Amino acid sequence: FFQAEDGIRDKLVTGVQTCALPIFSMLLLQNGRASFTCQGVSRRSALKAGFLGALGLSSADLLRLQAQGSAKRKSKSVILLWLDGGPSHLETYDPKPEATSAYRGPWGAIETNVSGIRISEQLPLHAKHADKMVFLRSVHHKTGDHFAGGHWMLTGRFGSTTADKEPKYPSIGSIVSRVRGANAVGMPAYVGLPAAQSIYIFPGYQGAAYLGPAFNPFDVNTAQKYLAANHAGPVQRPQCLDNFAGDATRTQSRVDLLTQLDGFRRDLDRGKLMDAMDRYQQQAVDMVTGNRAREAFDIEKENAKTRDRYGRGPWGHYTLLARRLVESGVSFVTVDMPHWDDHSGIAKGHGYKLPVLDRAVASLVEDLADRNMLDDVMVMVMGEFGRTPKINEGQPGIPIPGRDHWGDVFSVMLAGGGLKTGQVIGASSVNGEFPVERPLTPADVLATVYHFLGIDPEQTFNDFTGRPVPIIDGGQAIREII
């Protein structure tokens, strides 16, 4: 019945006094459109609440039924490795060894396990798994503005800039959280490791914008964040594990009381803040009263050999944790890998990061394949843009050659996700300056991810002004890899 078309369902509800059901307003409908009654409660939510009330079911019972299969979900998920600052495409996935010294950079190219595909010699472990990867070499948005580029890559839309940094559209992670939710009860839908950010803003363009704070990422450790590849100190235990250790019986009794009081709270505030609080409460209760989240976030459960393979630094540590989280039911995970803005010293700056990235990515792809998860998990590696093909003379006071911002063409790597892998899509010019084959936009990249997740990119949500806005505008899933 609840899967019926809106028009049919609304006709069935005509005449029902939905305004008399405030006690059920805590029940949340996370997917689809809804029409609203005089008190702001949707007919669909009211109808659902009415049946639940008649059957004596609580929202916890509903979630339990969903977990048992009443609400069917495909357990597909995404891990985004966010290279904040903008990695050089010439030093990663689109090397130009035949270019002149003014362009080609400090390293050469190596063959991969796919004939004809070469990548930077600094990524030898990637090269062993290129058959499970797709290299997009023609992504472009034509801006060298960190904030504009970051917003564009993470939302699929132009919006924020250095002059106006406020997020304008929801991130892909927040859209996934809003449309799909978590793949398992007791887990958050969207997680930031250690904390999701973009260009030093937390969560910045990784956040929910007008979807509301309920769909922001669940950050694991905000006390220790923005960690470099060469961070030498210990990676702290996730703060959330201490909260998960609470008394489940006491927590449930408090929830029962809050549920009884919820109708009165609703009369006081029917805005998005209350919706966010309800979702936070529901999510927190599920995590505290169950063992799934506690187990997933505890990386000590992994054996030492696996942890060593990923690397014991923060990038390897959190990439392994990302695998644990999607395995346990998180739908979207961002792993923060910052400090790629190497205007001077490209060899030194990228040189210490690339081996750490190489190790983490290759271990993740191999691990997912070994666990038969690769078709159901898509891995993305990207930053806000690339770097100038022509090497500069360094910065004032630091006369060591580097590369500046470059949005005219750059690379994105995708792995898994049931894609047709072992391919290069698109091409840049001989010096890596602009696309010369199959130009791709940020919206095309995100449309491919939405296609994988079964999310309609034309679905709309109301922006800050109440105007319905599609998830992305104009992007098309990359047909060659679907």
Side-chain angles (χ1 to χ4, degrees):
F1 178 84
F2 294 115
Q3 294 175 350
E5 290 297 319
D6 285 347
I8 299 173
R9 183 165 45 245
D10 287 347
K11 289 178 182 178
L12 291 170
V13 188
T14 301
V16 175
Q17 283 292 335
T18 55
C19 299
L21 296 170
I23 194 169
F24 297 115
S25 61
M26 182 179 176
L27 292 170
L28 299 172
L29 182 69
Q30 297 180 6
N31 299 311
R33 297 164 300 185
S35 57
F36 287 85
T37 67
C38 56
Q39 295 299 315
V41 181
S42 73
R43 293 186 187 183
R44 183 187 299 196
S45 294
L47 183 61
K48 184 162 83 173
F51 276 116
L52 290 174
L55 296 172
L57 296 176
S58 66
S59 57
D61 295 320
L62 175 62
L63 291 171
R64 196 172 300 112
L65 289 170
Q66 289 175 336
Q68 293 169 356
S70 297
K72 301 203 182 299
R73 271 189 190 140
K74 296 179 181 178
S75 296
K76 295 184 181 296
S77 51
V78 175
I79 296 174
L80 166 62
L81 307 184
W82 176 246
L83 311 189
D84 196 67
S88 167
H89 50 298
L90 291 91
E91 270 68 59
T92 54
Y93 302 129
D94 192 11
K96 302 294 182 181
E98 290 83 19
T100 65
S101 58
Y103 291 88
R104 69 172 174 257
W107 303 298
I110 57 173
E111 297 291 337
T112 68
N113 67 351
V114 178
S115 177
I117 297 180
R118 294 192 297 174
I119 59 176
S120 170
E121 66 178 352
Q122 291 293 96
L123 302 174
L125 300 178
H126 274 66
K128 296 179 180 180
H129 297 285
D131 60 315
K132 306 177 187 71
M133 301 175 178
V134 174
F135 303 97
L136 309 178
R137 290 181 174 171
S138 56
V139 184
H140 69 292
H141 50 46
K142 297 185 179 298
T143 180
D145 181 330
H146 278 296
F147 299 93
H151 185 281
W152 217 332
M153 292 304 296
L154 291 165
T155 70
R157 290 174 173 271
F158 176 77
S160 305
T161 65
T162 297
D164 182 7
K165 299 181 179 67
E166 194 68 21
K168 301 297 187 295
Y169 298 97
S171 70
I172 181 171
S174 294
I175 291 288
V176 173
S177 177
R178 171 66 178 82
V179 176
R180 287 180 58 91
N183 287 324
V185 174
M187 296 299 294
Y190 176 23
V191 175
L193 298 174
Q197 64 85 30
S198 54
I199 308 94
Y200 298 95
I201 308 173
F202 295 82
Y205 312 129
Q206 304 258 16
Y210 51 73
L211 293 184
F215 303 102
N216 278 338
F218 177 89
D219 287 331
V220 170
N221 193 343
T222 55
Q224 188 188 45
K225 58 191 180 186
Y226 207 71
L227 299 177
N230 59 355
H231 175 80
V235 179
Q236 296 174 359
R237 170 186 169 88
Q239 295 169 312
C240 59
L241 282 177
D242 296 330
N243 296 328
F244 294 158
D247 184 328
T249 302
R250 179 183 299 178
T251 300
Q252 189 60 57
S253 67
R254 289 175 177 173
V255 173
D256 292 341
L257 177 60
L258 286 170
T259 302
Q260 294 176 43
L261 296 174
D262 188 70
F264 298 103
R265 287 196 299 129
R266 281 291 176 188
D267 289 337
L268 298 176
D269 185 347
R270 298 184 182 278
K272 285 189 175 181
L273 180 60
M274 280 290 101
D275 291 335
M277 289 177 65
D278 283 347
R279 288 183 60 84
Y280 286 141
Q281 174 184 307
Q282 184 181 82
Q283 177 176 285
V285 169
D286 288 340
M287 288 192 288
V288 172
T289 58
N291 291 320
R292 184 183 289 268
R294 188 182 304 115
E295 292 286 323
F297 281 98
D298 189 357
I299 204 168
E300 297 296 332
K301 303 289 185 181
E302 289 289 337
N303 65 58
K305 184 177 180 180
T306 301
R307 296 184 67 186
D308 290 341
R309 178 156 58 94
Y310 276 82
R312 294 291 184 130
W315 291 12
H317 176 101
Y318 284 119
T319 303
L320 173 55
L321 185 53
R323 190 271 289 161
R324 290 182 60 82
L325 294 178
V326 297
E327 193 171 29
S328 296
V330 176
S331 297
F332 197 100
V333 183
T334 291
V335 180
D336 189 29
M337 296 184 171
H339 304 292
W340 291 89
D341 199 18
D342 292 319
H343 288 274
S344 62
I346 192 75
K348 182 179 180 181
H350 273 42
Y352 81 87
K353 292 186 280 284
L354 288 171
V356 181
L357 174 68
D358 188 37
R359 187 176 184 178
V361 171
S363 297
L364 176 61
V365 171
E366 183 178 355
D367 206 359
L368 291 171
D370 289 346
R371 292 168 178 269
N372 295 317
M373 296 171 60
L374 198 55
D375 283 348
D376 294 322
V377 180
M378 183 181 290
V379 177
M380 307 175 68
V381 181
M382 67 183 192
E384 61 263 42
F385 43 50
R387 307 205 73 80
T388 49
K390 190 171 183 178
I391 298 173
N392 64 28
E393 297 180 356
Q395 294 173 292
I398 316 176
I400 307 171
R403 298 189 192 270
D404 300 314
H405 306 167
W406 194 254
D408 284 11
V409 72
F410 51 97
S411 298
V412 170
M413 193 280 281
L414 304 177
L419 299 175
K420 295 179 181 178
T421 53
Q423 294 192 73
V424 170
I425 303 298
S428 66
S429 59
V430 65
N431 289 325
E433 297 164 306
F434 48 84
V436 294
E437 179 183 310
R438 187 67 165 95
L440 297 169
T441 68
D444 295 328
V445 177
L446 298 197
T448 305
V449 182
Y450 288 132
H451 182 279
F452 161 68
L453 293 171
I455 294 175
D456 180 3
E458 295 185 3
Q459 183 173 352
T460 64
F461 295 99
N462 290 348
D463 67 8
F464 295 114
T465 68
R467 178 176 63 98
V469 178
I471 292 174
I472 55 174
D473 183 18
Q476 299 291 325
I478 304 168
R479 61 184 180 277
E480 298 93 328
I481 63 177
I482 297 299

